[in-house]
Amino acid sequence: MVLEKDLKNSEGDELIDKDRLKEALEPLVNELIDLKENGIIIDGEKIQVCVMFLLGDSLGQNFIGRFVQNFSSAQFSCRFRTMSKDEFFNDPSETKSFRTVEEYNNYVDLAKAKWQQVRRQSIKAQQRTAPNRKVVRNLQSAISASAFKRLLAINYRGVKYRPSPFNRSKLRFHVVSHQPPCLAHDLFEGIIKAVVPNILKSVIERGWFDLKTLNRRIAGFTCKGTDALDKPKPLKSLDSLCGNAVENWNFLRLLPLIIGDLIQDEEDPHWQMILNLQEITALVCAPKISRVQVEYLRSLIGEYLCNVKEHFPEKLTPKHHYLGHYTDLILRFGTLLRLFTLRFESRHAFFKRVIKTCRNYINITYTMARKYMCRSAYDRSTNLLPDDVLYKEKSSVDLGVIPEELRVFISTDFQELEKLSIFGTEYQRDHYLILGSHEGSALKVGSVKKMFLKLSTNEVYFLLQEQRACNTYRGYYQIEETPNKSFILKAAEELADYYPLPAYIVNGKSCLCLKHSVICMHEGQ
């Protein structure tokens, strides 16, 4: 744990070419190299440990990777591609090849030569050498504040004049190919937070509803299941959303259910932008994604960016620039949901409690690190990781309520469960699970009627009532009522998608609002 101010060079540090960031990270890098070369021993087997990715928001990633951090005015602030701000604004859907290791190293050398030239011009002649540390401290006055600012801003096409401390051949690691984006910061707390209210402002100008009506609908909307943990918040203004990352995600997901009936023209271009962004988010947040879906996502993002340029050109921020790279980044890194930072952001709550309780800021990093290590040791002294399958109550199976054609699959080894959690995902009765695709754009879904545990294998089975969910193209799926009830017994590992969805009532019909896209949805495309 390092304070941010201790990672940034002072005037004196710059004048003697000192690198505080490298010095601070050197112990960590050396330990990672040791893990890479010597590995760890588990049950007598040597296992190498490799650094796969550096995770963080764009500002932190650019800082560690030694890219430009000025996103507002710098021409080249993208760490993925050498593409200028003007090029992106002229054609938001245009992409270029990824940066390469050779290109990065060459740009560092060019920026370093420029930095040395500016430094020589900035230092007074009598202060070019520093025979002792006392003189070094005096060098802080040898350069003006404006010259120091220019010195720190030196870069060549977005790459700074010092390489990242993680670029080590022994690690077989380089930042140009191992720094994925964080969709929570880019999408939930960036694009959705800033763009959706502006789109709603344009929709409100149509006269279909006002901000007061929108907030009343949001406040009165009853969220179900896990949606209730991060309920959308009413808007204070039409400048930005007020929620955290997941609340903003749910705001976009559930918005068609909240105000869909107030939209008098469903083909309105601004409303279509919201539905387009909703579909993009569902694909980007998918835990599994196919090549067909990636290409479909590429077309959706291109269409969305062109619409933003046409209707809200002032909102074409660097986060939109990163969104344009998402399809190629998915092909490089895999599903981006596995690489965002929200899981790590939740650890901040522990450190906030420590600071609030201690009320002592003397060497606060040491205090927090020590408290965290003690907590970690305590956790490892008990059960660090919970069981994969958790449940509170179980009882014998009442075969009388099981359809006759399925009773043959139920043995005395089965126990019925009331509450169930698998890998942290909670399941409840009457929630829906996606089973596969149906004709056209419809989905085959199953309503959870019973949950069983097979004691001998610790496997979970669901008794599901099969139904059909049709795409309304209004941001949600509508479940069709069928006169003949069909049931199926499905193992949890056989499901097309693991995530349970609560049903919301719209115009007397049960509707589903997807959390993410599912591979089977685009099999026929």
Side-chain angles (χ1 to χ4, degrees):
M1 302 193 69
V2 188
L3 294 177
E4 184 179 2
K5 66 178 183 179
D6 295 331
L7 297 176
K8 295 183 177 180
N9 280 7
S10 64
E11 292 95 326
D13 296 329
E14 283 294 305
L15 294 174
I16 62 173
D17 201 5
K18 181 180 179 180
D19 190 349
R20 285 195 179 188
L21 178 61
K22 183 178 180 180
E23 291 181 359
L25 295 179
E26 193 68 20
L28 171 62
V29 173
N30 290 336
E31 187 172 346
L32 293 174
I33 292 175
D34 179 68
L35 289 171
K36 170 69 176 177
E37 294 177 344
N38 301 319
I40 56 177
I41 307 298
I42 299 180
D43 296 332
E45 181 183 358
K46 178 181 176 181
I47 300 177
Q48 285 185 315
V49 180
C50 303
V51 182
M52 295 296 295
F53 305 109
L54 291 178
L55 306 185
D57 60 10
S58 295
L59 188 62
Q61 292 277 46
N62 279 26
F63 177 66
I64 293 294
R66 290 285 169 74
F67 297 97
V68 168
Q69 295 172 260
N70 188 345
F71 297 99
S72 59
S73 59
Q75 276 293 320
F76 297 92
S77 60
C78 179
R79 66 182 181 273
F80 304 115
R81 291 184 165 110
T82 309
M83 187 174 179
S84 70
K85 180 190 296 185
D86 292 339
E87 289 174 325
F88 170 69
F89 188 82
N90 292 332
D91 187 1
S93 60
E94 180 188 0
T95 58
K96 293 186 176 181
S97 59
F98 282 118
R99 293 183 186 267
T100 63
V101 174
E102 295 77 13
E103 178 188 75
Y104 178 95
N105 295 336
N106 184 39
Y107 288 174
V108 168
D109 294 338
L110 293 172
K112 187 72 171 183
K114 184 179 178 181
W115 174 83
Q116 290 172 341
Q117 179 184 1
V118 173
R119 184 180 66 162
R120 285 193 300 267
Q121 296 172 352
S122 302
I123 302 175
K124 296 179 180 180
Q126 67 271 25
Q127 293 178 327
R128 289 180 180 175
T129 58
N132 53 58
R133 291 299 299 172
K134 185 176 181 179
V135 179
V136 171
R137 287 194 294 271
N138 292 334
L139 281 174
Q140 296 183 13
S141 60
I143 183 172
S144 66
S146 59
F148 177 60
K149 189 175 181 180
R150 287 196 304 270
L151 203 61
L152 292 180
I154 290 175
N155 68 91
Y156 188 85
R157 299 179 74 83
V159 180
K160 302 290 283 184
Y161 49 89
R162 292 191 182 100
S164 172
F166 284 97
N167 293 346
R168 300 293 182 90
S169 58
K170 292 183 177 180
L171 280 179
R172 299 184 64 184
F173 185 93
H174 201 283
V175 292
V176 297
S177 53
H178 293 82
Q179 284 190 296
C182 175
L183 65 89
H185 288 91
D186 293 345
L187 202 56
F188 304 155
E189 294 184 339
I191 294 174
I192 294 175
K193 183 176 182 178
V195 176
V196 170
N198 282 269
I199 298 176
L200 287 174
K201 182 179 180 180
S202 299
V203 175
I204 288 175
E205 290 175 353
R206 302 286 193 274
W208 299 336
F209 57 90
D210 54 18
L211 179 59
K212 184 177 180 180
T213 301
L214 173 62
N215 284 335
R216 186 173 64 251
R217 287 286 188 101
I218 295 173
F221 187 80
T222 302
C223 293
K224 300 180 180 180
T226 56
D227 294 342
L229 302 177
D230 297 283
K231 183 179 178 180
K233 290 184 177 180
L235 282 72
K236 296 180 181 179
S237 68
L238 291 173
D239 295 327
S240 66
L241 299 183
C242 304
N244 58 35
V246 181
E247 289 170 346
N248 294 342
W249 185 8
N250 284 338
F251 186 99
L252 178 64
R253 286 181 53 241
L254 302 176
L255 189 62
L257 300 178
I258 297 173
I259 61 170
D261 60 312
L262 300 178
I263 304 301
Q264 299 177 16
D265 181 10
E266 295 180 357
E267 299 301 322
D268 178 76
H270 293 100
W271 180 247
Q272 286 298 316
M273 283 184 66
I274 288 182
L275 298 183
N276 189 5
L277 185 57
Q278 184 193 53
E279 192 169 7
I280 289 172
T281 304
L283 284 162
V284 170
C285 295
K288 296 180 181 179
I289 191 167
S290 65
R291 180 62 71 96
V292 172
Q293 287 178 308
V294 170
E295 296 307 318
Y296 179 55
L297 174 62
R298 191 189 305 276
S299 65
L300 288 177
I301 291 177
E303 178 185 353
Y304 167 76
L305 292 177
C306 291
N307 287 331
V308 173
K309 179 184 177 181
E310 179 182 355
H311 300 288
F312 307 98
E314 71 282 358
K315 294 300 179 181
L316 276 179
T317 60
K319 294 184 185 296
H320 276 109
H321 177 87
Y322 293 148
L323 179 65
H325 300 328
Y326 268 24
T327 50
D328 293 323
L329 292 173
I330 289 173
L331 296 176
R332 167 176 279 196
F333 297 120
T335 52
L336 301 181
L337 188 72
R338 307 297 189 190
L339 298 172
F340 72 167
T341 61
L342 280 192
R343 183 67 275 169
F344 303 100
E345 293 274 5
S346 65
R347 307 299 292 176
H348 292 176
F350 172 82
F351 297 109
K352 291 179 180 178
R353 290 197 302 269
V354 169
I355 295 174
K356 185 177 180 180
T357 304
C358 293
R359 297 182 180 180
N360 187 340
Y361 294 91
I362 299 176
N363 202 355
I364 188 63
T365 52
Y366 172 80
T367 301
M368 290 192 294
R370 188 173 183 275
K371 294 285 186 182
Y372 185 79
M373 291 173 67
C374 291
R375 175 60 184 268
S376 180
Y378 171 77
D379 289 340
R380 283 161 174 76
S381 66
T382 56
N383 292 328
L384 175 63
L385 299 176
D387 294 333
D388 296 343
V389 180
L390 297 175
Y391 52 87
K392 290 186 177 180
E393 300 178 10
K394 61 180 181 179
S395 59
S396 57
V397 180
D398 183 7
L399 295 178
V401 298
I402 305 297
E404 185 176 353
E405 65 274 13
L406 298 178
R407 293 177 187 175
V408 65
F409 300 105
I410 305 296
S411 65
T412 56
D413 196 23
F414 276 64
Q415 293 285 309
E416 186 173 344
L417 305 177
E418 291 296 326
K419 294 184 178 181
L420 172 65
S421 173
I422 304 177
F423 296 114
T425 302
E426 295 185 358
Y427 295 83
Q428 301 178 25
R429 292 178 182 175
D430 296 326
H431 279 196
Y432 286 82
L433 294 168
I434 297 177
L435 303 178
S437 59
H438 220 291
E439 297 85 358
S441 59
L443 293 175
K444 185 188 297 182
V445 299
S447 174
V448 178
K449 300 303 179 184
K450 298 284 184 181
M451 298 177 291
F452 304 111
L453 177 68
K454 190 175 183 180
L455 299 178
S456 59
T457 60
N458 204 40
E459 292 178 298
V460 173
Y461 289 82
F462 295 97
L463 178 64
L464 304 169
Q465 179 183 344
E466 289 185 298
Q467 291 178 280
R468 186 172 183 265
C470 297
N471 190 351
T472 62
Y473 298 100
R474 300 172 182 171
Y476 54 86
Y477 284 75
Q478 183 174 296
I479 298 174
E480 288 186 347
E481 297 294 337
T482 54
N484 299 324
K485 294 184 179 181
S486 174
F487 293 89
I488 184 174
L489 190 67
K490 202 80 169 178
E493 59 185 19
E494 297 175 349
L495 296 171
D497 185 64
Y498 73 94
Y499 199 85
L501 298 169
Y504 294 96
I505 305 301
V506 178
N507 297 326
K509 301 287 186 178
S510 296
C511 298
L512 303 178
C513 198
L514 300 186
K515 187 79 170 182
H516 53 250
S517 184
V518 185
I519 288 180
C520 65
M521 294 172 59
H522 303 87
E523 289 179 344
Q525 294 185 3

